[in-house]
């Protein structure tokens, strides 16, 4: 029997996990022809997310969990899940039901019947999302499309089901600064897109503040394009030509009129403009340097604190010890 592993990154999702599990139970019951493995990844939650996962793993053998020592971010949670998945097909989806589980049977059907390696989901609209957030994400996708060679499909979610070879390709990219949407595109493989209308979270709050979203966008741009680095060169060339032209203009003017060069204000404005552009370019260099610095340290992408596998082994060990104690002669056991 073929098996699908589903990876669910969770950060403070105590309200959504039970709702998500109930929905998934229905889907798993409908898809009898295939086995399931649900891998919940607790990304250092501060609420009762881990307790929820422990109890699911206790009552349903299809549920497993991994728990991080602190919040490492969704990207790290996805990587951890992918490296622990053992299924023939692997799906990644959010815990808040914004990635509709009803698409899973169609994804599986596509992967098993069509010539493709990945069935991915994209939002057809952004109804119900704050306008400012929609505006910034539109801008981000446009910039990414222009700057990187791969680009990102508009409205693309991380939600997708992949064949094993695609998962192995993702795992071979063990970079520390991860941006999954870019990685999915970069590795290639044939992807079929399924559209769905935007849905609201089933419970709880979004974990992405504006600050986190900006950092995520920068990660995407610096991770998949070196174009901003060329900005320094472009600005340098423009200012070089401009200053030459101004010098000729100023010298020519003073020679013809016989008066010294005036224009303190314009000079200060030019100085300000030039120094701000220099700072901007240094900032861009800094961004790339900091990413390189973190990569060279080769720190682990995540640190595990607990996992269902570990708990299971511990339980078995305790049972074995208890059995051994029972079989010992009474005087030795005491
Ligand atoms: N998430 C995570 N670590 C984080 C932030 C989010 O594992 O640091 C998980 C979160 O629990 C959810 C998914 O990533 O399952 C998407 O997060 P969210 O729904 O908050 O993002 P949005 O849908 O608003 O973009
Ligand atoms: Mg969400």
């Amino acid at each position: 029997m073929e098996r699908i592993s589903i990876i669910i990154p969770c950060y403070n999702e105590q309200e959504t996990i039970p709702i998500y599990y109930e929905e998934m139970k229905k889907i798993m019951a409908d898809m009898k022809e295939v086995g399931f493995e649900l891998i919940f990844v607790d990304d250092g939650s501060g609420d009762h997310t881990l307790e929820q996962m422990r109890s699911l793993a206790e009552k349903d053998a299809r549920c497993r969990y991994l728990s991080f020592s602190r919040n490492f971010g969704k990207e790290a949670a996805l990587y951890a899940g992918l490296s622990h998945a053992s299924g023939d097909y692997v799906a990644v989806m959010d815990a808040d039901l914004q990635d509709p589980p009803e698409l899973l049977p169609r994804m599986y059907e596509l992967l098993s019947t069509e010539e493709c390696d990945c069935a991915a989901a994209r939002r057809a609209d952004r109804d119900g999302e704050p306008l400012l957030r929609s505006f910034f994400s539109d801008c981000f996708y446009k910039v990414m499309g222009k700057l990187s060679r791969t680009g990102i499909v508009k409205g693309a979610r991380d939600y997708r089901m992949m064949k094993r070879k695609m998962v192995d390709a993702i795992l071979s990219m063990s970079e520390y600064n991860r941006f999954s949407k870019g990685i999915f595109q970069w590795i290639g493989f044939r992807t079929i897109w399924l559209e769905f209308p935007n849905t609201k979270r089933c419970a709880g709050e979004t974990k992405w503040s504006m600050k986190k979203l900006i950092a995520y966008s920068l990660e995407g741009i610096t991770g998949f394009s070196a174009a901003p680095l060329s900005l320094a060169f472009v600005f340098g060339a423009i200012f070089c030509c401009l200053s030459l032209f101004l010098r000729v203009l100023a010298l020519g003017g003073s020679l013809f009129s016989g008066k010294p060069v005036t224009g303190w204000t314009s000079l200060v404005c030019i100085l300000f403009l030039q120094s701000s552009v220099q700072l901007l370019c240094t900032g861009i260099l800094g961004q790339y340097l900091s990413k390189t610095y973190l990569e060279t340290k080769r720190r682990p992408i995540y640190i595990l604190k607990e996992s269902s596998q570990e708990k299971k082994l511990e339980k078995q060990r305790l049972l074995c010890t208890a059995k051994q104690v029972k079989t010992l002669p009474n005087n030795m056991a005491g």
Side-chain angles (χ1 to χ4, degrees):
M1 196 196 231
E2 285 188 316
R3 226 150 64 105
I4 303 178
S5 302
I6 300 189
I7 293 145
I8 313 111
C10 303
Y11 179 49
N12 294 340
E13 298 285 7
Q14 60 178 21
E15 293 107 337
T16 58
I17 288 177
I19 312 174
Y20 170 84
Y21 175 67
E22 285 309 313
E23 286 302 309
M24 276 308 296
K25 249 175 39 183
K26 290 180 210 158
I27 301 289
M28 291 192 289
D30 287 346
M31 294 175 74
K32 286 193 188 70
E33 71 283 13
V34 60
F36 276 92
E37 166 186 60
L38 302 188
I39 307 179
F40 293 90
V41 187
D42 167 35
D43 184 13
S45 303
D47 61 358
H48 296 294
T49 297
L50 181 56
E51 281 87 335
Q52 300 266 10
M53 292 179 182
R54 281 191 195 128
S55 84
L56 282 183
E58 284 273 322
K59 71 176 184 196
D60 189 336
R62 294 170 298 186
C63 296
R64 291 172 56 191
Y65 68 84
L66 305 166
S67 178
F68 289 176
S69 57
R70 66 164 170 87
N71 179 238
F72 280 87
K74 184 185 172 184
E75 294 295 329
L78 287 181
Y79 183 78
L82 288 176
S83 31
H84 283 80
S86 59
D88 307 283
Y89 301 95
V90 183
V92 291
M93 64 194 293
D94 292 354
D96 56 8
L97 293 181
Q98 282 195 292
D99 295 334
E102 307 83 71
L103 287 183
L104 287 170
R106 178 83 188 114
M107 287 180 173
Y108 175 63
E109 191 191 318
L110 282 172
L111 288 187
S112 45
T113 56
E114 297 278 326
E115 267 288 308
C116 69
D117 307 289
C118 172
R122 62 180 284 259
R123 282 190 289 200
D125 55 66
R126 286 184 166 267
D127 293 351
E129 200 182 65
L131 279 178
L132 201 66
R133 191 174 158 162
S134 298
F135 170 74
F136 280 122
S137 46
D138 268 353
C139 292
F140 167 68
Y141 288 118
K142 274 187 195 141
V143 172
M144 267 307 274
K146 291 251 179 318
L147 293 187
S148 77
R149 256 204 262 153
T150 43
I152 292 174
V153 174
K154 196 168 175 233
R157 301 273 303 171
D158 288 333
Y159 183 27
R160 62 196 61 218
M161 194 186 286
M162 299 165 279
K163 283 187 180 162
R164 173 65 29 207
K165 58 184 169 187
M166 182 155 169
V167 175
D168 291 342
I170 296 170
L171 290 174
S172 71
M173 293 179 72
S174 54
E175 56 211 60
Y176 182 80
N177 300 290
R178 301 187 71 77
F179 179 69
S180 289
K181 283 193 180 77
I183 293 176
F184 293 143
Q185 288 294 114
W186 192 88
I187 55 171
F189 293 98
R190 186 159 179 255
T191 301
I192 294 183
W193 291 94
L194 301 174
E195 278 193 6
F196 70 96
N198 193 26
T199 28
K200 281 200 173 153
R201 251 184 174 267
C202 62
E205 298 270 306
T206 177
K207 310 296 171 317
W208 293 87
S209 59
M210 211 49 173
K211 198 174 135 199
K212 265 191 167 181
L213 279 174
I214 292 171
Y216 182 68
S217 315
L218 280 178
E219 195 68 70
I221 293 170
T222 51
F224 286 88
S225 167
L229 279 175
S230 323
L231 269 184
F233 176 77
V234 174
F235 279 132
I238 292 174
F239 277 102
C240 197
C241 295
L242 205 70
S243 68
L244 263 176
F245 173 70
L246 286 176
R247 238 174 274 177
V248 170
L249 211 70
L251 273 176
S254 76
L255 275 179
F256 279 113
S257 64
K259 287 181 191 159
V261 181
T262 55
W264 184 87
T265 317
S266 54
L267 204 69
V268 168
C269 287
I270 291 168
L271 271 178
F272 267 132
L273 183 68
Q274 234 179 333
S275 52
S276 59
V277 168
Q278 274 170 2
L279 274 179
L280 176 78
C281 295
T282 318
I284 293 171
L285 271 177
Q287 281 291 325
Y288 282 90
L289 186 70
S290 69
K291 303 277 174 229
T292 319
Y293 172 65
L294 285 174
E295 289 296 341
T296 51
K297 284 190 167 200
R298 303 211 62 76
R299 283 184 179 164
I301 296 167
Y302 62 88
I303 293 171
L304 276 187
K305 181 183 69 180
E306 186 184 318
S307 73
S308 49
Q309 196 68 18
E310 218 176 69
K311 278 265 156 185
K312 222 164 141 184
L313 286 174
E314 204 178 295
K315 223 173 174 180
Q316 276 170 1
R317 237 190 340 257
L318 281 175
L319 266 172
C320 273
T321 330
K323 264 187 199 160
Q324 278 168 357
V325 170
K326 250 190 188 171
T327 51
L328 282 176
N330 271 351
N331 55 345
M332 282 179 80

